[in-house]
C-alpha cells in the first residue's frame, strides 16, 4: 500500500566506476511510460541523470536500465515515477553506490546466500537495509527457492506455490518473494551483485522453463555480451585496485570468487 504503480519496489546492481543498473516493475494497470531520476541527495534537488522507459509485456513490465556518466565511489539516490513525480505516482527512493577506481583502502559488503522465503523471516535483510556503511550486497545464489525443503516448512502460504516449470510460474515466484518488505528494503538500500544457483533456474538446463528469463527480468543484472546467450551470467566487476568480484557460473552449482589484488588488505 502506498507504493503507487511500483508495488515491488526498486533495486540497483552491478555497479561500475561510472555506472549502475537500476530496476523496478510497473503495474501496467496504473502506468505505461516510466521516468527515472538519479540525484546526489535524497530530496532530488541535484538531479544528475534522468530518462524514460516504456515497460512492455515481453519483459513482464520490468525496467532494467543502465545509468552512465556517474562519479566513482559516490552514493546516489534514485526513483521512478509515472507522470509528474508525486507521492501517488513515484516509487520509493532507492540508494546506490558506484565502484571506486584507483587506490582503494577499504571495502565492505554484505554477503547472502540460500535465502528461502519458505524457511523463515527475512529480518537479516532488514538489518542489512539499515546499514549505511556498505559498498554493496553480493548474493551468491538461491535468491529464490523453486520449492521448500521438506525439513524447513516454516513460512508456507496456502496454497503452496507450484514448482515453477513455465515462465509465468517463475515470474510469479519472484513476485511472491518481493511481497516481503525486508527484501524490498535491502534491494533499495544497496547495489547488488547477483548470480543464480540451482533453486533460481532449471538446474542442468537453465534456459528451459523460463527461469533464466524471469531472473534477468526481475533483478538488476547486466545483460551478457551480444555474442553470448542469456544463460551466460559470469562476469567481472572491479572495485579499484583492492578487489575484483569475479562471478563464476558452473551450473548446476554457482560460485562467486573474491580475489584481492594484494594480501593483507582490508576487505
Amino acid at each position: 500500500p502506498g507504493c503507487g504503480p511500483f508495488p515491488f519496489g526498486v533495486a540497483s546492481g552491478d555497479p561500475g566506476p561510472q555506472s549502475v543498473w537500476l530496476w523496478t516493475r510497473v503495474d501496467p494497470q496504473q502506468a505505461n511510460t516510466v521516468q527515472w531520476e538519479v540525484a546526489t541527495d535524497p530530496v532530488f534537488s541535484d538531479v544528475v541523470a534522468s530518462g524514460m522507459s516504456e515497460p512492455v509485456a515481453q519483459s513482464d513490465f520490468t525496467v532494467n536500465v543502465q545509468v552512465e556518466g556517474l562519479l566513482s565511489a559516490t552514493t546516489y539516490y534514485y526513483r521512478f515515477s509515472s507522470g509528474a513525480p508525486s507521492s501517488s505516482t513515484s516509487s520509493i527512493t532507492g540508494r546506490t553506490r558506484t565502484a571506486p577506481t584507483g587506490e582503494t583502502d577499504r571495502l565492505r559488503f554484505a554477503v547472502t546466500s540460500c535465502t528461502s522465503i519458505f524457511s523463515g523471516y527475512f529480518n537479516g535483510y532488514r538489518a542489512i537495509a539499515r546499514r549505511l556503511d556498505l559498498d554493496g550486497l553480493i548474493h551468491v545464489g538461491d535468491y529464490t527457492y523453486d520449492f521448500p525443503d521438506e525439513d524447513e516448512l516454516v513460512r508456507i502460504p496456502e496454497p503452496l506455490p507450484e514448482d515453477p516449470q513455465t515462465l509465468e510460474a517463475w515470474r510469479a515466484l519472484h513476485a511472491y518473494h518481493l511481497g516481503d518488505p525486508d527484501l524490498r528494503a535491502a534491494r533499495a538500500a544497496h547495489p547488488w551483485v547477483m548470480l543464480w544457483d540451482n533453486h533460481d533456474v532449471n538446474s542442468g538446463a537453465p534456459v528451459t522453463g523460463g527461469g533464466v528469463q524471469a531472473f534477468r527480468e526481475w533483478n538488476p543484472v547486466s545483460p551478457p555480451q551480444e555474442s553470448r546467450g542469456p544463460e551466460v551470467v559470469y562476469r567481472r566487476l572491479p572495485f579499484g585496485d583492492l578487489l575484483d568480484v569475479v562471478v563464476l557460473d558452473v551450473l548446476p552449482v554457482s560460485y562467486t570468487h573474491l580475489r584481492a589484488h594484494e594480501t593483507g588488505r582490508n576487505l
Side-chain angles (χ1 to χ4, degrees):
C3 293
F6 306 99
F8 298 103
V10 301
S12 67
D14 281 7
Q18 285 85 40
S19 66
V20 69
W21 289 83
L22 303 182
W23 176 94
T24 194
R25 184 186 186 273
V26 65
D27 180 351
Q29 302 299 318
Q30 299 188 55
N32 294 316
T33 301
V34 174
Q35 179 182 0
W36 54 265
E37 296 176 294
V38 179
T40 59
D41 62 303
V43 297
F44 293 85
S45 63
D46 181 28
V47 175
V48 297
S50 63
M52 303 290 291
S53 179
E54 294 187 5
V56 295
Q58 288 83 348
S59 58
D60 203 19
F61 302 100
T62 58
V63 176
N64 204 342
V65 59
Q66 186 181 31
V67 181
E68 300 180 287
L70 305 176
L71 300 176
S72 63
T74 301
T75 296
Y76 289 97
Y77 301 87
Y78 64 96
R79 65 183 176 186
F80 298 86
S81 61
S82 174
S86 70
S87 58
S88 61
T89 63
S90 295
S91 69
I92 63 169
T93 296
R95 177 181 175 275
T96 191
R97 185 169 177 82
T98 52
T101 58
E103 184 175 351
T104 302
D105 295 329
R106 181 188 66 83
L107 292 165
R108 180 177 286 130
F109 294 90
V111 179
T112 58
S113 69
C114 303
T115 47
S116 171
I117 198 169
F118 306 120
S119 301
Y121 293 98
F122 279 175
N123 52 297
Y125 277 139
R126 187 191 323 146
I128 290 171
R130 292 172 176 170
R131 293 282 295 268
L132 300 181
D133 59 343
L134 301 179
D135 293 278
L137 181 149
I138 300 173
H139 201 301
V140 299
D142 287 346
Y143 162 76
T144 59
Y145 265 65
D146 46 359
F147 59 88
D149 295 330
E150 292 183 0
D151 59 345
E152 297 180 347
L153 302 180
V154 176
R155 193 182 179 191
I156 306 301
E158 287 287 347
L160 180 69
E162 63 175 299
D163 186 355
Q165 301 296 325
T166 65
L167 175 59
E168 290 73 21
W170 279 107
R171 286 169 169 172
L173 185 67
H174 282 272
Y176 178 74
H177 278 68
L178 284 175
D180 185 278
D182 295 331
L183 173 56
R184 294 198 307 272
R187 283 166 60 100
H190 310 290
W192 284 40
V193 176
M194 304 180 68
L195 68 155
W196 49 57
D197 202 351
N198 60 302
H199 283 287
D200 294 304
V201 295
N202 300 83
S203 179
V207 183
T208 64
V212 164
Q213 181 174 337
F215 190 95
R216 289 193 172 281
E217 288 173 345
W218 280 77
N219 296 300
V221 178
S222 56
Q225 297 178 7
E226 291 184 2
S227 60
R228 298 171 176 171
E231 74 278 9
V232 176
V233 76
Y234 55 81
R235 58 203 188 277
R236 181 179 70 91
L237 291 92
F239 287 81
D241 66 348
L242 179 57
L243 177 73
D244 286 345
V245 177
V246 183
V247 182
L248 305 178
D249 178 24
V250 287
L251 275 171
V253 180
S254 303
Y255 304 91
T256 290
H257 171 63
L258 305 181
R259 184 184 69 202
H261 291 287
E262 300 177 19
T263 60
R265 304 294 291 278
N266 185 5
L267 301 185

